[in-house]
Amino acid sequence: MSDPTPINAPIGTRDILPGESEHFATLVATFATWAQRYGFGLALTPLFEDVGVFNRGIGEDSDVARKEMYVFEDRGGRTYALRPEGTASIVRAFVQHHPTTPWKVWYITPAFRYERPQAGRYRQHHQLGVEALGTDDPYLDVEVIALAWRFYEHLGLRQVRLHINSMGHAECRAMYLTQLSAHLSEHSGSLCDEHRDGWSRNPLRVLDCKKEPCVAVTDAGPMLVDFLCEDCREHFATVTSGLDTIGIPWLANPRLVRGFDYYTRTTFEFVAEALGSAQNAVGGGGRYDKLAEQLGGEPTSGIGFGSGIERLLLALEAEKVVLTSKGLDAFVVDTTGGAVALELVERLRAAGLSVDRSYDQRSMKSQMKRADRSGAAVALLVGPSERESGTVTIRDLRNSDVADRQQSVTLADVVASVQDYTNKAK
Ligand code: HAM
């Protein structure tokens, strides 16, 4: 006999079901609208890739590649990884298909990271994001940041702060890394347990460390902004003054280096202050002007961001923003066997209304209970007398105290009458 014990979803993952999934769907639909407004088209790439896409893309020494990736061998002996983030896959697709530039795409994707689960940090989360390849025009940086900002604004978030920094390009960063390494080497004894011996593997990661000893050592050390070349400084100044021009407030954060090795020049993060200090980034991104080359393509600049849907939902809750999503328009209660309901729901749905019904020929009382629970605006009642006279009784389910709560209409008029109700309710 097979084992009858129920099996739950894996640790650090969540089922997103009706009741919550409406909010999820609203976020995706809103993002799709904004991404289209900014000229981005939808891109869908496989959830798993050759592990090299991520090792080369996000950097073999990044925490995500070293400790968090779900890597597996398929039955043909190839080594794949589940996508831990969206950017490397999109750039892999760009290199493979040579689209004309600028190439601007948006995506919605699950991302998989073997992290220590906690509120706002999951082993499977979902990201909405964009990537734009083919130009290093700083006004593109402004537009990409603006898209995220307007999206958050439209959702109703008011306590999101934009932190921004420049990582410089390879040469500025090489100079900086020499100085940073000298500083860390001198003070390595004062770093946190993880970085005391491991800092030299990737010194920039120490800037990312939130532990107090690392913050103290790096605060007293050199900062990347002071090593930017003239071009990088000018690029950054154009981005920040562009943000000023279109009224997007920003905060310079010289410690912001982000977790992946592909970043160059502009990097940014959106911090939801309503979420407190842990897991409060609702989005982040930046330029990656060397990534296409790292993945075997022609030198091509790029920039993008990803925004965590679960974190956005937490931030909306923390700011007490209620996302409205349209519920059912009508619920059909047919106590004559269900055949009238079959035709009725089809007709109403064809007219663009959202309609549900009950099944299994239940009693009037039980069907009405379902109608009430469904959240529909009206119930459409079909009993023996209605069937006889070719009518339907419409009952208002949301305003129980109105005098004309219930009205009888002919089957021919039912679509128009329900539309009247739902228009009035808007
Ligand atoms: P990221 O900062 O690693 O960047 O992730 C983007 C967003 O995904 C975060 O700001 C956060 O909202 C959410 N997120 C990340 N990890 C988790 C998790 N374990 N649980 C819940 N939410 C999470 C990237 O992934 C880059 N690909 C962004 C980018 C696009 N850069 C350039 N283009």
Side-chain angles (χ1 to χ4, degrees):
M1 216 179 81
S2 62
D3 182 355
T5 319
I7 301 170
N8 290 338
I11 294 168
T13 70
R14 302 168 62 246
D15 297 314
I16 303 164
L17 305 175
E20 185 185 6
S21 59
E22 295 81 359
H23 304 311
F24 191 101
T26 304
L27 287 195
V28 178
T30 309
F31 189 73
T33 303
W34 279 96
Q36 279 153 18
R37 275 185 201 169
Y38 278 76
F40 289 80
L42 177 65
L44 301 166
T45 56
L47 272 189
F48 59 96
E49 298 271 2
D50 186 299
V51 70
V53 169
F54 303 115
N55 278 342
R56 285 204 251 159
I58 64 182
E60 253 164 312
D61 286 327
S62 66
D63 277 358
V64 171
R66 273 194 317 125
K67 303 189 238 164
E68 298 173 3
M69 232 160 25
Y70 283 86
V71 181
F72 64 97
E73 199 168 285
D74 79 353
R75 287 164 198 269
R78 302 171 195 90
T79 306
Y80 290 123
L82 292 183
R83 166 188 301 169
E85 59 98 54
T87 311
S89 299
I90 294 287
V91 177
R92 192 271 308 141
F94 173 84
V95 169
Q96 183 174 340
H97 301 287
H98 315 287
T100 48
T101 56
W103 193 57
K104 295 166 72 177
V105 297
W106 72 274
Y107 51 86
I108 150 86
T109 181
F112 306 87
R113 299 181 189 177
Y114 191 81
E115 301 202 72
R116 209 154 37 80
Q118 53 181 263
R121 190 161 78 185
Y122 309 104
R123 291 189 175 166
Q124 174 176 342
H125 69 278
H126 297 81
Q127 284 191 24
L128 293 162
V130 301
E131 310 297 344
L133 286 114
T135 167
D136 64 358
D137 188 331
Y139 290 128
L140 176 63
D141 306 28
V142 179
E143 277 201 22
V144 164
I145 293 171
L147 163 55
W149 185 264
R150 302 294 177 217
F151 167 57
Y152 300 146
E153 211 171 42
H154 179 111
L155 291 174
L157 291 172
R158 296 290 175 267
Q159 296 172 46
V160 173
R161 299 284 165 266
L162 163 62
H163 291 228
I164 186 165
N165 191 22
S166 175
M167 303 278 298
H169 67 339
E171 287 78 44
C172 322
R173 199 148 72 215
M175 286 200 332
Y176 170 63
L177 280 174
T178 312
Q179 299 289 320
L180 177 66
S181 299
H183 178 76
L184 294 178
S185 166
E186 194 180 326
H187 300 280
S188 61
S190 311
L191 295 173
C192 76
D193 291 347
E194 181 189 349
H195 290 119
R196 197 168 303 132
D197 299 318
W199 66 267
S200 59
R201 188 200 304 269
N202 193 338
L204 280 180
R205 295 282 70 80
V206 185
L207 282 169
D208 242 1
C209 182
K210 306 276 186 293
K211 297 199 185 94
E212 207 272 314
C214 287
V215 173
V217 169
T218 47
D219 263 349
M223 285 295 167
L224 223 162
V225 275
D226 301 321
F227 290 77
L228 296 184
C229 68
E230 193 51 40
D231 276 359
C232 287
R233 218 173 307 143
E234 205 176 298
H235 186 101
F236 191 54
T238 310
V239 174
T240 50
S241 70
L243 290 168
D244 290 339
T245 304
I246 58 172
I248 295 179
W250 52 274
L251 208 72
N253 180 349
R255 300 186 59 90
L256 183 71
V257 292
R258 311 245 325 122
F260 303 129
D261 288 352
Y262 54 57
Y263 288 114
T264 53
R265 291 193 162 173
T266 315
T267 47
F268 52 92
E269 220 156 74
F270 297 96
V271 174
E273 295 190 339
L275 286 181
S277 63
Q279 319 309 329
N280 60 3
V282 287
R287 273 207 161 271
Y288 41 82
D289 291 339
K290 293 283 170 214
L291 182 52
E293 272 171 273
Q294 271 156 242
L295 294 176
E298 298 293 315
T300 314
S301 306
I303 179 165
F305 72 82
S307 197
I309 297 185
E310 289 81 358
R311 296 250 181 111
L312 281 172
L313 291 172
L314 289 171
L316 286 161
E317 198 182 307
E319 288 199 30
K320 302 197 171 24
V321 179
V322 180
L323 289 181
T324 47
S325 50
K326 196 174 161 295
L328 280 182
D329 295 313
F331 192 97
V332 177
V333 170
D334 176 358
T335 56
T336 68
V340 180
L342 174 67
E343 276 191 76
L344 197 53
V345 294
E346 276 298 289
R347 245 178 349 110
L348 290 157
R349 288 169 184 158
L353 294 158
S354 315
V355 185
D356 205 355
R357 56 167 293 180
S358 68
Y359 306 96
D360 303 326
Q361 305 192 29
R362 301 201 173 252
S363 69
M364 172 76 170
K365 193 169 159 210
S366 145
Q367 292 199 41
M368 274 314 297
K369 223 191 232 170
R370 284 180 187 214
D372 279 328
R373 259 196 245 132
S374 75
V378 295
L380 303 177
L381 315 179
V382 182
S385 66
E386 280 91 355
R387 191 168 67 172
E388 187 86 355
S389 57
T391 59
V392 174
T393 299
I394 303 187
R395 183 183 291 181
D396 190 326
L397 291 176
R398 295 196 183 148
N399 308 293
S400 51
D401 44 0
V402 290
D404 58 348
R405 185 179 182 205
Q406 202 155 294
Q407 91 184 80
S408 174
V409 296
T410 64
L411 268 175
D413 287 339
V414 72
V415 168
S417 302
V418 174
Q419 278 166 339
D420 259 7
Y421 259 103
T422 53
N423 286 340
K424 262 190 249 149
K426 270 177 202 160

